[in-house]
């Protein structure tokens, strides 16, 4: 596979519209500085709307089974449990914010880190935010909140939760911080069980005094059930006169130093084991970087437990650097576009483009940490011009094929509304009236030599796909993938731009399903 970065050069604007982004030269591609050929291929399915528009959703979505029923956890400033069957219903708060002056007064979010000790006794580790020093409110946008990780317990299989020892239930805090004081951060932790330990993958780059960017790790013996005082951070100590440099899990979870493991974005910290690849994987969704799937080393061993441990840790038990990522969906416009991924309730405006946030991974059966050859990725999305009161939670089914050098691809989907209008994209329309009809081939997920970028272009409410650039009079909404102008051994699906009932769409048939054919925009891929 050949991945590509896009230049920040812009095509000329048309009729006062926002300029459409372009690759460095039509049809050319350069190898991305960070992307790698990881030895497997990835296919993204169509977007599925889980919920929205809503003001809920500022944590990675995850789900767990309680008995035979599946429940989801997704909220704003608190942990809300929902009944989950592809849609969210019957919400209830199971973990609320703390009172004034408490370390979690600005929010308490479980992070998909429930560990089931027995059928009834579970422990969870939640991301907590409190007011920063001198701050009068919980200013999440201003980065003045202070982060910690704390512990909650249920003894009835998730029906009710309590915080033993509260407010002394903090398990991990920033460098030099205590359970209640300090300005450094350690939070948004994802906890997985590997062997005899719980491992927390957390980040520190946030707040009034952020630490080093990237993912860091702390661990606690399973036998301790992750209780406060049992956590130790991984830190690489510099050499001194008395001893050479060394790395170990020997810094206190509360206040100790930590070292980032490297090779994985902090946005992809919601990791899960993939049994088809024998690797841990993490998912990053961003408008400015596109979608990326990060992968650990391949784990070896006779058992699943051995493979899971070998993929993450060396023979001395120290964390391995992750291998890298593979691009699975294109960035919206350019990496330096100031209107993509705009944060801040006071900043989002009509010029704002799409924003992606809070990516996570889940198994087809709802398992929050175990995935196979097919699984779901979840993410919060804001459509262009929308504020944070209009969030949407989407998911896509992902297929991974081990030991494959095939191109990564994403489904090009045909949608139709009740009046017969059609629309084609690799993204679901905002309007619920449009329903999926089926696939129209697959677009390449990243730039490669000989392939042209495809834009979703807009004019007076109509959407149309154009290769290379939007036609004069149309403005670029976003890039949706890449197509090949001429057929070859992999690009065999013809794609025609069509028009009917005042709407544009694409078809694999020259007859356009009864519509008017305008042009052939290129050749797409088949399904993996």
């Amino acid at each position: 596979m050949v991945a590509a970065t896009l230049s920040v050069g812009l095509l000329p604007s048309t009729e006062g519209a926002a300029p459409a982004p372009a690759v460095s030269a039509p049809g050319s591609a350069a190898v991305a500085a960070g992307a790698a050929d990881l030895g497997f291929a990835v296919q993204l399915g169509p977007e599925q709307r889980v919920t929205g528009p809503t003001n809920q959703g500022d944590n990675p979505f995850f789900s767990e089974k309680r008995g035979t029923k599946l429940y989801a956890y997704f909220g704003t400033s608190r942990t809300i449990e929902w009944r989950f069957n592809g849609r969210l219903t019957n919400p209830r708060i199971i973990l609320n914010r703390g009172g004034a002056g408490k370390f979690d007064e600005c929010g308490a979010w479980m992070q998909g880190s429930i560990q089931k000790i027995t059928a009834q006794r579970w422990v969870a580790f939640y991301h907590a935010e409190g007011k920063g020093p001198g701050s009068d409110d919980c200013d999440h946008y201003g980065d003045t909140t202070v982060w910690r990780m704390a512990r909650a317990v249920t003894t009835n299989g998730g029906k009710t939760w309590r915080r033993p020892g509260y407010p002394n239930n903090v398990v991990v805090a920033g460098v030099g911080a205590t359970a209640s004081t300090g300005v450094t951060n350690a939070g948004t932790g994802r906890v997985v069980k590997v062997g005899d330990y719980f491992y927390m993958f957390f980040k520190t780059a946030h707040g009034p005094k952020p630490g080093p960017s990237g993912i860091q790790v702390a661990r606690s013996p399973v036998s301790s059930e992750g209780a406060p005082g049992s956590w130790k951070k991984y830190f690489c100590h510099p050499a001194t006169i008395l001893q050479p440099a060394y790395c170990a899990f020997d810094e206190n979870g509360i206040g100790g130093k930590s070292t980032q493991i490297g090779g994985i974005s902090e946005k992809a910290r919601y990791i899960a084991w993939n049994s088809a690849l024998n690797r841990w994987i993490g998912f990053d969704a961003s408008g400015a970087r596109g979608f990326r799937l990060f992968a650990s080393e391949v784990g070896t061993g006779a058992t699943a437990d051995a493979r899971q441990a070998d993929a993450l840790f060396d023979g001395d038990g120290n964390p391995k650097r992750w291998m890298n990522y593979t691009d699975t969906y294109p960035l919206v416009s350019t990496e330096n576009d100031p209107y993509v991924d705009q944060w801040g309730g006071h900043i989002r405006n009509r010029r704002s483009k799409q924003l992606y946030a809070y990516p996570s991974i889940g198994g087809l059966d709802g398992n929050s940490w175990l995935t196979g050859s097919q699984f779901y990725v979840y993410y919060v999305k804001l459509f262009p011009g929308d504020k944070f009161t209009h969030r949407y939670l989407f998911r896509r089914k992902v297929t991974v094929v081990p030991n494959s050098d095939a191109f990564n691809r994403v489904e090009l989907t045909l949608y139709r509304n009740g009046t017969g209008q059609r629309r084609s994209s690799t993204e679901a329309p905002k309007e619920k009236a449009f329903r999926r009809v089926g696939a129209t081939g697959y677009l390449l997920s990243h730039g490669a030599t000989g392939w042209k970028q495809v834009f979703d272009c807009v004019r007076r409410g109509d959407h149309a796909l154009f290769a290379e650039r939007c036609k004069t009079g149309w403005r670029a909404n976003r890039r949706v993938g890449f197509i090949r102008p001429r057929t070859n051994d992999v690009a065999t699906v013809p794609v025609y731009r069509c028009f009917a009932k005042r709407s544009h769409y694409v078809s694999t048939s020259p007859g356009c399903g009864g519509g008017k054919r305008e042009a052939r925009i290129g050749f797409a891929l088949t399904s993996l």
Side-chain angles (χ1 to χ4, degrees):
M1 288 181 290
V2 180
T5 50
L6 302 170
S7 79
V8 296
L10 299 176
L11 292 173
S13 126
T14 59
E15 295 189 351
V23 290
S24 54
S28 69
V31 176
D37 182 355
L38 295 173
F40 60 89
V42 183
Q43 176 172 295
L44 289 186
E47 281 193 324
Q48 300 175 20
R49 187 195 310 252
V50 179
T51 191
T54 176
N55 63 352
Q56 294 299 327
D58 58 2
N59 69 286
F61 171 95
F62 72 99
S63 58
E64 292 286 346
K65 276 190 175 180
R66 190 163 75 236
T68 59
K69 296 180 180 179
L70 192 61
Y71 293 85
Y73 302 85
F74 186 67
T76 296
S77 298
R78 52 181 63 81
T79 301
I80 298 177
E81 180 190 82
W82 310 73
R83 282 284 290 117
F84 182 51
N85 186 20
R87 294 288 184 269
L88 302 181
T89 60
N90 303 102
R92 70 184 183 103
I93 297 172
I94 61 168
L95 196 65
N96 213 334
R97 295 176 295 190
K102 296 295 192 294
F103 71 89
D104 53 3
E105 67 175 306
C106 297
W109 301 262
M110 289 186 187
Q111 296 284 308
S113 295
I114 292 175
Q115 299 296 326
K116 298 180 179 179
I117 308 301
T118 67
Q120 295 298 310
R121 183 173 179 81
W122 305 353
V123 296
F125 304 95
Y126 68 93
H127 170 76
E129 294 189 22
K131 293 177 184 176
S135 180
D136 294 328
D137 57 14
C138 298
D139 189 354
H140 303 280
Y141 299 131
D143 286 353
T144 62
T145 57
V146 175
W147 293 3
R148 294 175 177 84
M149 291 298 298
R151 178 175 177 264
V153 174
T154 176
T155 55
N156 53 19
K159 294 179 182 178
T160 57
W161 291 84
R162 58 188 180 87
R163 292 173 260 204
Y166 184 82
N168 297 312
N169 58 324
V170 173
V171 296
V172 171
V175 178
T178 70
S180 59
T181 62
V183 296
T184 59
N185 287 301
T188 68
R190 163 69 158 158
V191 176
V192 296
K193 177 183 175 295
V194 182
D196 295 329
Y197 289 94
F198 293 132
Y199 290 91
M200 180 185 295
F201 292 76
F202 65 94
K203 65 174 282 192
T204 59
H206 186 88
K209 190 175 180 181
S213 179
I215 298 298
Q216 287 128 92
V217 187
R219 76 178 186 185
S220 169
V222 172
S223 59
S224 73
E225 297 187 0
S230 67
W231 290 85
K232 295 291 184 181
K233 295 178 183 175
Y234 175 76
F235 181 62
C236 289
H237 299 262
T240 66
I241 297 175
L242 300 177
Q243 63 183 13
Y246 72 98
C247 300
F249 283 95
D250 62 356
E251 286 283 309
N252 288 333
I254 298 176
K257 301 175 183 178
S258 55
T259 297
Q260 56 184 296
I261 58 176
I264 180 173
S265 161
E266 62 267 21
K267 299 291 186 182
R269 64 192 173 274
Y270 193 100
I271 67 172
W273 176 250
N274 188 274
S275 58
L277 302 175
N278 280 321
R279 298 169 115 145
W280 292 88
I281 55 174
F283 170 59
D284 182 3
S286 164
R289 295 181 300 276
F291 290 5
R292 295 172 173 177
L293 197 65
F294 287 79
S296 71
E297 289 190 7
V298 176
T300 61
T303 66
D305 286 346
R307 293 190 290 273
Q308 290 168 16
D310 181 68
L312 286 181
F313 306 106
D314 63 22
D316 295 323
N318 294 327
K320 294 179 180 178
R321 180 183 177 85
W322 278 51
M323 291 291 290
N324 216 307
Y325 65 84
T326 181
D327 292 305
T328 59
Y329 193 62
L331 54 162
V332 170
S333 54
T334 67
E335 293 174 295
N336 296 331
D337 187 338
Y339 300 110
V340 176
D341 287 335
Q342 270 191 330
W343 284 84
H346 60 294
I347 295 175
R348 293 285 301 183
N349 55 46
R350 63 181 181 83
R351 302 180 69 182
S352 299
K353 296 181 183 176
Q354 282 173 261
L355 178 147
Y356 297 96
Y358 311 113
S360 64
I361 298 175
L364 292 187
D365 62 353
N367 194 304
S368 68
W369 71 273
L370 180 62
T371 62
S373 58
Q374 290 190 316
F375 55 91
Y376 288 114
V377 291
Y378 295 85
Y379 49 92
V380 170
K381 182 168 81 172
L382 270 64
F383 283 95
D386 278 356
K387 293 185 177 293
F388 280 85
T389 52
H390 286 73
R391 311 177 199 207
Y392 293 80
L393 176 65
F394 281 97
R395 70 178 183 181
R396 291 181 188 259
K397 183 182 289 186
V398 181
T399 301
V400 291
V401 181
N403 306 314
S404 173
D405 60 358
F407 285 115
N408 291 349
R409 62 201 68 193
V410 58
E411 182 183 296
L412 178 57
T413 306
L414 175 65
Y415 298 89
R416 187 171 187 146
N417 67 12
T419 64
Q421 289 184 315
R422 285 171 276 191
R423 187 181 298 178
S424 297
S425 181
T426 53
E427 301 235 327
K430 182 178 180 180
E431 301 87 350
K432 289 184 178 181
F434 282 92
R435 302 297 178 125
R436 179 178 180 269
V437 176
T440 311
Y442 289 77
L443 295 184
L444 190 66
S445 299
H446 49 78
T449 301
W451 295 72
K452 306 288 187 181
Q453 54 194 344
V454 178
F455 289 102
D456 173 13
C457 305
V458 182
R459 183 181 66 180
R460 296 192 294 272
D462 185 18
H463 288 251
L465 300 187
F466 292 90
E468 270 196 286
R469 66 184 66 203
C470 294
K471 185 179 178 180
T472 300
W474 296 75
R475 69 175 171 82
N477 186 48
R478 70 152 296 150
R479 180 187 287 107
V480 296
F482 297 82
I483 201 165
R484 191 171 177 86
R486 291 171 293 279
T487 186
N488 67 359
D489 57 341
V490 295
T492 59
V493 181
V495 178
Y496 301 93
R497 186 174 59 251
C498 309
F499 182 78
K501 290 187 178 290
R502 304 185 309 280
S503 63
H504 282 85
Y505 59 98
V506 296
S507 172
T508 60
S509 168
C512 284
K516 176 185 176 183
R517 187 179 78 226
E518 290 189 344
R520 189 182 67 206
I521 65 173
F523 290 85
L525 301 153
T526 60
S527 176
L528 281 175

